[in-house]
Amino acid sequence: MAAVTRPRILLAAGISLLLAAVLLLCAGLAGMADVPYQDPTPQMIAAQAARTAAAERRAAIYAGAAALLAVLGVACLLIRSRLNGSSTR
């Protein structure tokens, strides 16, 4: 059985963080789907506008968190490649 080394942990962490970023972004965008009403009243239009604005704010928060996770994932992969490159020299 192979030993768990720091580069392997960083590889697993990097890939996991990138996957989490994609899933988080998809979850944020999935909540934005809203079908317009057939014959809306002014109250229905106002309620739908409020839901859309709230969904856009949530999507922006999800996108920011996904970007942070993606940056951390790429950083893990870059550190791993540096560790891997220095051990082969």
Side-chain angles (χ1 to χ4, degrees):
M1 186 161 108
V4 179
T5 60
R6 199 175 295 167
R8 284 184 189 217
I9 292 172
L10 287 170
L11 177 66
I15 291 172
S16 298
L17 286 169
L18 288 172
L19 181 62
V22 169
L23 292 175
L24 185 62
L25 187 59
C26 290
L29 294 177
M32 291 190 65
D34 197 9
V35 179
Y37 297 109
Q38 188 75 23
D39 292 323
T41 65
Q43 294 84 8
M44 294 168 83
I45 292 173
Q48 186 173 18
R51 282 194 310 272
T52 302
E56 287 175 353
R57 284 190 298 273
R58 278 192 311 273
I61 292 170
Y62 283 135
L68 179 64
L69 289 175
V71 166
L72 289 173
V74 168
C76 285
L77 294 176
L78 287 174
I79 292 169
R80 179 205 182 265
S81 69
R82 292 225 173 155
L83 286 176
N84 231 9
S86 65
S87 66
T88 58
R89 291 182 186 159

